Amino acid sequence: MSDFNTFRSAIAATLALTVTSTASAAETVKWDMAIIGVGAFRVAGEALAEYVNTNSDGEFTIKLHQDTLSPAREILDNLAVGAFELGYVISSYHPGKNPLVSTLDLPFLPIKTMEQRGAVAEALFEHEDIKKEFGRWNTVPIMAVVQPNYEIIGKGTPPTTLDVFDGMRVKATSGIGDALGHFGTRLISMTGAEQYNGLQTGVIDAVAATYSAFGGFKLYELTDWYTVGMDAGTAHVTVTANRDAYEALSDEHKMLLDEAKVYAYAKSVEAQLAATDENVPIFDEYKLQRVEIPAEQVEKLRSEAAQPVWDAYIESLESKGLPGQEILDFVIAEAKKVQG
């Protein structure tokens, strides 16, 4: 069975357990969604809204707002107070606010595909400690915005050996950036929309993200090389709902939302794969050097760089009385489970 079919079956099983009634909607419901980013990154939210809007007979609609309802770093706060009902929450933009789900930001987790990443995230969303974490912000997780494992695009000397990362200023999520930091990389924090200017002004030398993001933000215009096979992990993003708005939905509308996310996961994976096929020829057209990362380099990154980052993160969580090791063990066990 394919990864996606396995994933679809897992979601269906979850729905069978959680959705117990299909009472008719009593009134028209209109939600606003704060969506950010470009290209395939947007597709999860777009497809979720498309499915709901198409299949609700006008009784439940979701309106998308690109970068207008809230600054990206404040979406969680604005969801908490009910400024709008739905939005993209990027854990690494405020890790102190949802540190347990940010475990999915750790580098080089044993998660190979987007389908596997979605299945692991869905399982984690059902964990009681994760539910409580979202609950503290008056929110509930709806679905993950799955992305391929990150690669790096940059200017200057290409990283044909790990020592080239020494002194390189990289915009990356904290987990991946901290792992590269083992080899001397300087982690620079900025939003996706700030990356182009960061490269243009020399604030950063490289960006760790997806090929879709490289293409969507036109980073190939300012860079000299891109990596293949880094397999570094990815930034975790949750399509998150205001809890009061979610709990006010009828059972029928909750079921529709759950059906919509299965559709949205499939469309998101499809879009990310298409973005890779679309953007790599553009990188080549701009004569960017393709840097194949040998398997031995990836293994060195895992063993020498990732494990210390995992250990430090768990220690930080445990020092605050949070079940960091339990959550990491849960994530790894779920990753193994979905890999069969």
Side-chain angles (χ1 to χ4, degrees):
M1 184 179 288
S2 70
D3 282 335
F4 183 69
N5 286 337
T6 301
F7 178 42
R8 184 190 294 273
S9 297
I11 295 295
T14 299
L15 299 187
L17 291 173
T18 58
V19 179
T20 60
S21 173
T22 59
S24 297
E27 59 183 26
T28 300
V29 177
K30 296 181 180 180
W31 278 14
D32 291 305
M33 178 193 289
I35 193 168
I36 57 177
V38 294
F41 184 67
R42 291 167 44 92
V43 170
E46 291 172 340
L48 189 80
E50 175 198 344
Y51 189 95
V52 169
N53 295 345
T54 301
N55 293 281
S56 68
D57 295 323
E59 294 178 346
F60 182 14
T61 59
I62 298 174
K63 183 177 180 179
L64 302 177
H65 300 265
Q66 174 75 32
D67 299 318
T68 55
L69 289 180
S70 171
R73 296 181 186 276
E74 297 173 19
I75 290 177
L76 180 62
D77 303 83
N78 285 317
L79 283 168
V81 298
F84 43 87
E85 292 80 18
L86 203 59
Y88 273 37
V89 173
I90 301 180
S91 298
S92 58
Y93 282 3
H94 37 62
K97 292 180 179 177
N98 47 11
L100 291 177
V101 80
S102 295
T103 300
L104 291 173
D105 283 316
L106 289 175
F108 299 100
L109 290 171
I111 303 173
K112 290 290 187 181
T113 69
M114 289 180 279
E115 293 91 345
Q116 291 172 7
R117 187 166 292 277
V120 171
E122 285 293 322
L124 188 60
F125 293 157
E126 292 300 312
H127 194 288
E128 287 304 317
D129 287 312
I130 299 299
K131 289 181 179 179
K132 290 176 184 176
E133 182 170 88
F134 277 94
R136 281 194 290 274
W137 294 94
N138 193 34
T139 59
V140 294
I142 300 301
M143 67 176 291
V145 179
V146 294
Q147 303 175 78
N149 282 321
Y150 278 11
E151 298 291 344
I152 301 178
I153 195 169
K155 58 185 181 180
T157 305
T160 52
T161 59
L162 292 175
D163 64 299
V164 175
F165 285 114
D166 190 9
M168 187 183 294
R169 295 161 298 177
V170 180
K171 185 270 176 177
T173 62
S174 55
I176 296 167
D178 290 344
L180 293 174
H182 180 80
F183 297 97
T185 294
R186 291 173 56 194
L187 173 62
I188 307 296
S189 177
M190 60 176 60
T191 65
E194 296 169 331
Q195 295 168 157
Y196 191 96
N197 184 253
L199 285 166
Q200 195 170 45
T201 58
V203 174
I204 56 174
D205 305 305
V207 172
T210 64
Y211 289 158
S212 174
F214 298 162
F217 289 112
K218 300 187 184 301
L219 304 186
Y220 53 81
E221 295 180 347
L222 302 172
T223 49
D224 304 310
W225 51 264
Y226 67 98
T227 65
V228 179
M230 179 65 76
D231 212 17
T234 185
H236 176 68
V237 184
T238 310
V239 177
T240 306
N242 171 269
R243 182 171 59 182
D244 296 332
Y246 179 78
E247 291 181 349
L249 292 176
S250 67
D251 288 336
E252 181 182 21
H253 286 164
K254 287 177 182 176
M255 175 180 284
L256 180 63
L257 200 57
D258 282 329
E259 292 171 355
K261 74 180 181 182
V262 177
Y263 174 78
Y265 274 121
K267 286 295 183 182
S268 189
V269 169
E270 180 182 303
Q272 288 286 0
L273 294 174
T276 296
D277 292 340
E278 176 184 345
N279 283 296
V280 168
I282 297 175
F283 305 159
D284 296 339
E285 179 184 337
Y286 273 76
K287 301 189 185 309
L288 271 62
Q289 180 176 340
R290 178 185 173 100
V291 181
E292 299 273 358
I293 305 299
E296 58 268 24
Q297 282 195 26
V298 175
E299 185 53 42
K300 187 172 184 180
L301 280 163
R302 283 197 180 100
S303 60
E304 295 186 17
Q307 189 63 52
V309 173
W310 292 10
D311 293 343
Y313 192 69
I314 296 311
E315 182 179 350
S316 172
L317 292 179
E318 298 281 349
S319 71
K320 298 177 178 121
L322 297 172
Q325 189 64 58
E326 177 187 336
I327 296 298
L328 178 58
D329 290 345
F330 181 89
V331 165
I332 292 174
E334 289 299 320
K336 291 178 178 177
K337 188 184 301 182
V338 297
Q339 289 171 22

